[in-house]
Amino acid sequence: MSESNDGNPSRRYRLMIPGPVDLTPEVLVSLSAPVQADYGSNWPDIYLDTTRLLKTIFGTSGDVFILVGSGSSGIDACIGSALKTGEKIIIGINGFFGERMKEIAESYGLEVIPIIKEWGEVLDPRDFEFALKNHQDAVMVALPHIETSTTVVNPIAEIGKIVRKYKAVFMVDAVSSLGGMPFYMDSWGIDICSSASQKCLGGPPGLSPVAIGSKGWDLIQRSFTKDHGWYLNLATWKKYSDKWMVWHPFPITMATSLVVALRTSIEQILKDGIDNRFALYRARAMRLRFGLLKIGLQLFVPDDFAAPVVTAVYGYPDTATSLMIKYIEDKYYIKIAGGLGLLKEKIMRIGHMSPMISESDIDDVVSALERYKSEHNIH
Ligand SMILES: *Cc1c(COP(=O)(O)O)cnc(C)c1O
């Protein structure tokens, strides 16, 4: 029952939630550097270099912007910038974040054609083909890659192959997958995509990288008045990046310290080798799932479509998962997450999307759960 703070005395809890994640010591050091001005001399170079690195992580030759806001701001921008009130959007919904996309779309007065699966099931590409055939006027198809609320990985490449045959653009929420598992925006046929700094990209919360390909821009830059604001309109971000490129390639005060920290993390990912990171998370997942099964717990989704960066597991029978989560937090100083929405009190979600999570962290979670069982006379 060790309290590990990795040399940082103010660090009390180990974060094993699906974001935000614990930062590496190098990222923490970069966060403590003096605040930089967001224009002039060297800043545009730092910003543009960060977007260049992000392009390799997204797997795109399109444009990347770093929005100042959480992951949801990027999703809001991708949907709201591209469509106008009354237009049709097909949304894949198999959990909390698919539901959120629908909420965002409805906030812009869009007509949502939902493709629904039970929470914990995977979306079926054939349903998208069917919806696109029936709604030839759909302007966008959108869904989350990893549905973090259930840990299901949706088949983006297969759905992308289908969407490509229609005029609709393909938008993907890669908030919890980018940097944690293979992702190929261009070759998967994704036109607009957004992520967040605080999950597999290993930075602090507060930034949302957004990537846009040429089919995405064609839609965003159609000449009509959209019922959309200014800040989260990607056309605003493009205008300023073109016009103010050499000194200030964004419309607002960039969160310079957060960008510096994010860049440090991405440099580390690329230096370690991104494939090595993917393998590391996968190995942590396997170790955790093996341990959970061994102590008699049941996994929430089959391994064939379970995310490599977060694991969902049912609690013990007749036990509210919040009690188990609180126990681990109080006795082991480890934070894991519960279920969202429909899955509240039913499952626990254990994140392993940071290189800071070691084999012994995984083992500690398993032994904490085992000890909970023996202390509460669960058989
Ligand atoms: C975390 C997450 C979000 C929300 O991101 P915020 O940074 O909290 O706004 C959206 N989609 C998915 C798939 C996520 O995992």
Side-chain angles (χ1 to χ4, degrees):
M1 216 198 301
S2 66
E3 182 182 346
S4 126
N5 61 22
D6 303 305
N8 175 4
S10 60
R11 178 173 181 248
R12 179 163 164 86
Y13 293 102
R14 284 179 269 176
L15 294 185
M16 294 181 70
I17 53 179
V21 299
D22 271 322
L23 307 180
T24 64
E26 291 82 353
V27 175
L28 280 175
V29 166
S30 75
L31 257 182
S32 67
V35 172
Q36 299 207 37
D38 67 323
Y39 55 85
S41 58
N42 63 332
W43 179 259
D45 291 344
I46 295 173
Y47 175 82
L48 294 171
D49 186 51
T50 311
T51 61
R52 182 183 60 80
L53 297 174
L54 279 164
K55 280 183 205 181
T56 54
I57 308 252
F58 273 111
T60 188
S61 59
D63 292 324
V64 168
F65 298 119
I66 304 173
L67 305 187
V68 179
S70 81
S72 304
S73 73
I75 300 165
D76 191 310
C78 289
I79 294 176
S81 304
L83 284 83
K84 64 173 173 177
T85 297
E87 287 185 323
K88 272 188 194 170
I89 177 171
I90 295 169
I91 301 183
I93 303 174
N94 56 342
F96 180 88
F97 291 107
E99 295 278 2
R100 174 170 292 184
M101 270 189 166
K102 177 165 173 277
E103 237 178 81
I104 290 172
E106 285 171 347
S107 80
Y108 288 112
L110 306 180
E111 186 184 339
V112 176
I113 312 297
I115 292 180
I116 297 171
K117 282 279 182 193
E118 291 291 318
W119 289 35
E121 285 179 17
V122 65
L123 290 167
D124 185 343
R126 286 168 304 185
D127 294 340
F128 287 84
E129 178 99 64
F130 186 78
L132 280 161
K133 274 205 186 105
N134 282 311
H135 301 278
Q136 304 266 350
D137 54 343
V139 180
M140 180 180 272
V141 172
L143 75 155
H145 183 202
I146 296 178
E147 175 44 87
T148 320
S149 66
T150 64
T151 75
V152 165
V153 181
N154 285 315
I156 297 300
E158 289 75 7
I159 296 169
K161 265 192 211 126
I162 294 164
V163 180
R164 200 174 260 174
K165 298 187 288 182
Y166 294 83
K167 83 171 203 312
V169 302
F170 191 28
M171 187 266 156
V172 171
D173 164 359
V175 170
S176 61
S177 60
L178 194 71
M181 63 179 290
F183 193 87
Y184 307 101
M185 174 163 165
D186 290 355
S187 52
W188 287 354
I190 302 168
D191 305 300
I192 308 183
C193 185
S194 71
S195 192
S197 50
Q198 79 276 15
K199 296 190 183 180
C200 307
L201 292 176
L207 298 175
S208 179
V210 168
I212 305 110
S214 60
K215 196 174 163 190
W217 278 130
D218 288 346
L219 191 64
I220 291 167
Q221 300 198 303
R222 287 180 294 172
S223 54
F224 63 79
T225 321
K226 284 189 261 332
D227 318 289
H228 194 289
W230 180 89
Y231 190 99
L232 290 183
N233 191 339
L234 294 172
T236 308
W237 289 71
K238 173 126 182 88
K239 182 171 117 189
Y240 283 87
S241 101
D242 292 346
K243 203 165 92 180
W244 286 358
M245 175 61 95
V246 292
W247 75 289
H248 190 285
F250 29 78
I252 45 90
T253 304
M254 186 45 56
T256 48
S257 300
L258 300 184
V259 172
V260 167
L262 178 62
R263 184 171 76 146
T264 305
S265 178
I266 294 173
E267 279 172 346
Q268 276 190 295
I269 293 173
L270 296 173
K271 188 163 149 273
D272 292 354
I274 196 162
D275 293 330
N276 294 331
R277 280 290 174 91
F278 299 158
L280 177 80
Y281 299 152
R282 183 96 202 130
R284 296 285 182 267
M286 290 300 113
R287 188 179 185 93
L288 174 61
R289 289 166 199 175
F290 181 76
L292 295 171
L293 291 171
K294 213 168 144 202
I295 60 170
L297 285 168
Q298 207 191 329
L299 300 174
F300 181 62
V301 294
D303 206 52
D304 340 342
F305 50 83
V309 293
V310 53
T311 294
V313 62
Y314 287 105
Y316 294 117
D318 307 316
T319 307
T321 50
S322 59
L323 297 174
M324 301 169 68
I325 292 165
K326 183 162 190 318
Y327 176 89
I328 297 177
E329 185 168 324
D330 292 347
K331 303 249 158 140
Y332 287 75
Y333 304 101
I334 295 174
K335 281 189 193 269
I336 65 170
L340 293 172
L342 300 174
L343 297 171
K344 203 166 159 47
E345 296 300 0
K346 295 204 172 73
I347 61 166
M348 297 171 284
R349 294 174 303 141
I350 302 160
H352 29 84
M353 52 177 75
S354 157
M356 295 301 287
I357 291 170
S358 63
E359 288 189 343
S360 70
D361 293 331
I362 296 287
D363 295 347
D364 285 348
V365 170
V366 174
S367 52
L369 288 166
E370 189 174 29
R371 207 168 130 218
Y372 183 95
K373 178 159 95 166
S374 62
E375 279 184 16
H376 294 79
N377 294 313
I378 297 166
H379 302 287

Short mmCIF file of all heavy atoms in Angstrom, two decimals, residues 70-72 75 97 100 146 148 173 175-176 198-199, ligand 1:
data_model
loop_
_atom_site.label_atom_id
_atom_site.label_comp_id
_atom_site.label_asym_id
_atom_site.label_seq_id
_atom_site.Cartn_x
_atom_site.Cartn_y
_atom_site.Cartn_z
N SER A 70 -11.24 22.59 -23.70
CA SER A 70 -11.13 21.15 -23.47
C SER A 70 -11.53 20.41 -24.76
O SER A 70 -11.89 21.02 -25.76
CB SER A 70 -12.04 20.73 -22.32
OG SER A 70 -13.37 20.59 -22.78
N GLY A 71 -11.47 19.09 -24.72
CA GLY A 71 -11.79 18.27 -25.89
C GLY A 71 -13.15 18.59 -26.50
O GLY A 71 -13.31 18.62 -27.72
N SER A 72 -14.12 18.86 -25.65
CA SER A 72 -15.46 19.15 -26.16
C SER A 72 -15.49 20.42 -27.01
O SER A 72 -16.32 20.54 -27.92
CB SER A 72 -16.45 19.31 -25.01
OG SER A 72 -16.44 18.16 -24.20
N ILE A 75 -14.79 19.38 -30.53
CA ILE A 75 -15.92 18.67 -31.16
C ILE A 75 -17.00 19.69 -31.55
O ILE A 75 -17.55 19.65 -32.65
CB ILE A 75 -16.49 17.61 -30.18
CG1 ILE A 75 -15.41 16.59 -29.83
CG2 ILE A 75 -17.70 16.92 -30.79
CD1 ILE A 75 -15.74 15.73 -28.63
N PHE A 97 -20.34 9.68 -24.92
CA PHE A 97 -19.75 10.72 -25.78
C PHE A 97 -20.43 10.81 -27.14
O PHE A 97 -20.43 11.88 -27.76
CB PHE A 97 -18.23 10.56 -25.86
CG PHE A 97 -17.58 10.89 -24.54
CD1 PHE A 97 -17.06 9.90 -23.71
CD2 PHE A 97 -17.56 12.20 -24.08
CE1 PHE A 97 -16.52 10.21 -22.47
CE2 PHE A 97 -17.02 12.52 -22.84
CZ PHE A 97 -16.49 11.53 -22.04
N ARG A 100 -23.24 12.97 -26.31
CA ARG A 100 -22.81 14.38 -26.22
C ARG A 100 -22.72 15.01 -27.61
O ARG A 100 -23.09 16.16 -27.80
CB ARG A 100 -21.47 14.49 -25.49
CG ARG A 100 -20.95 15.92 -25.52
CD ARG A 100 -19.78 16.15 -24.62
NE ARG A 100 -20.16 16.06 -23.22
CZ ARG A 100 -19.33 16.30 -22.21
NH1 ARG A 100 -18.07 16.63 -22.44
NH2 ARG A 100 -19.74 16.19 -20.96
N ILE A 146 -12.64 5.98 -29.74
CA ILE A 146 -12.86 5.23 -28.50
C ILE A 146 -14.04 5.89 -27.79
O ILE A 146 -14.01 7.08 -27.50
CB ILE A 146 -11.64 5.26 -27.56
CG1 ILE A 146 -10.44 4.55 -28.19
CG2 ILE A 146 -11.99 4.58 -26.22
CD1 ILE A 146 -9.17 4.56 -27.34
N THR A 148 -15.18 6.43 -24.69
CA THR A 148 -14.48 6.28 -23.40
C THR A 148 -15.41 5.86 -22.26
O THR A 148 -14.97 5.29 -21.27
CB THR A 148 -13.79 7.61 -23.05
OG1 THR A 148 -13.23 8.15 -24.24
CG2 THR A 148 -12.68 7.41 -22.03
N ASP A 173 -14.25 11.99 -33.31
CA ASP A 173 -13.81 12.41 -31.98
C ASP A 173 -12.69 11.45 -31.57
O ASP A 173 -12.95 10.29 -31.25
CB ASP A 173 -15.01 12.34 -31.01
CG ASP A 173 -14.61 12.36 -29.53
OD1 ASP A 173 -13.41 12.40 -29.21
OD2 ASP A 173 -15.54 12.34 -28.69
N VAL A 175 -10.61 12.08 -29.06
CA VAL A 175 -10.14 12.67 -27.81
C VAL A 175 -9.34 11.67 -26.98
O VAL A 175 -8.28 11.99 -26.45
CB VAL A 175 -11.31 13.25 -26.98
CG1 VAL A 175 -10.85 13.63 -25.57
CG2 VAL A 175 -11.90 14.47 -27.66
N SER A 176 -9.83 10.43 -26.88
CA SER A 176 -9.13 9.49 -25.99
C SER A 176 -8.29 8.47 -26.74
O SER A 176 -7.73 7.57 -26.13
CB SER A 176 -10.14 8.77 -25.09
OG SER A 176 -11.04 8.05 -25.89
N GLN A 198 -5.16 16.29 -22.62
CA GLN A 198 -4.97 15.65 -21.30
C GLN A 198 -5.15 14.14 -21.26
O GLN A 198 -5.15 13.56 -20.19
CB GLN A 198 -5.93 16.29 -20.29
CG GLN A 198 -7.39 15.81 -20.33
CD GLN A 198 -8.26 16.51 -21.37
OE1 GLN A 198 -7.75 17.15 -22.26
NE2 GLN A 198 -9.57 16.36 -21.27
N LYS A 199 -5.30 13.52 -22.42
CA LYS A 199 -5.45 12.06 -22.40
C LYS A 199 -4.17 11.43 -22.95
O LYS A 199 -3.11 11.66 -22.38
CB LYS A 199 -6.74 11.66 -23.10
CG LYS A 199 -7.95 12.25 -22.29
CD LYS A 199 -9.30 11.76 -22.70
CE LYS A 199 -10.36 12.49 -21.87
NZ LYS A 199 -11.72 12.10 -22.18
C1 LIG B 1 -12.79 12.91 -22.51
C2 LIG B 1 -13.60 12.79 -23.75
C3 LIG B 1 -14.34 13.88 -24.25
C4 LIG B 1 -14.50 15.17 -23.49
O1 LIG B 1 -13.33 15.87 -23.39
P1 LIG B 1 -13.26 17.15 -22.44
O2 LIG B 1 -11.81 17.48 -22.51
O3 LIG B 1 -13.70 16.70 -21.08
O4 LIG B 1 -14.13 18.19 -22.98
C5 LIG B 1 -15.00 13.72 -25.44
N1 LIG B 1 -14.95 12.57 -26.13
C6 LIG B 1 -14.26 11.50 -25.68
C7 LIG B 1 -14.24 10.27 -26.50
C8 LIG B 1 -13.56 11.58 -24.48
O5 LIG B 1 -12.87 10.53 -24.02
#
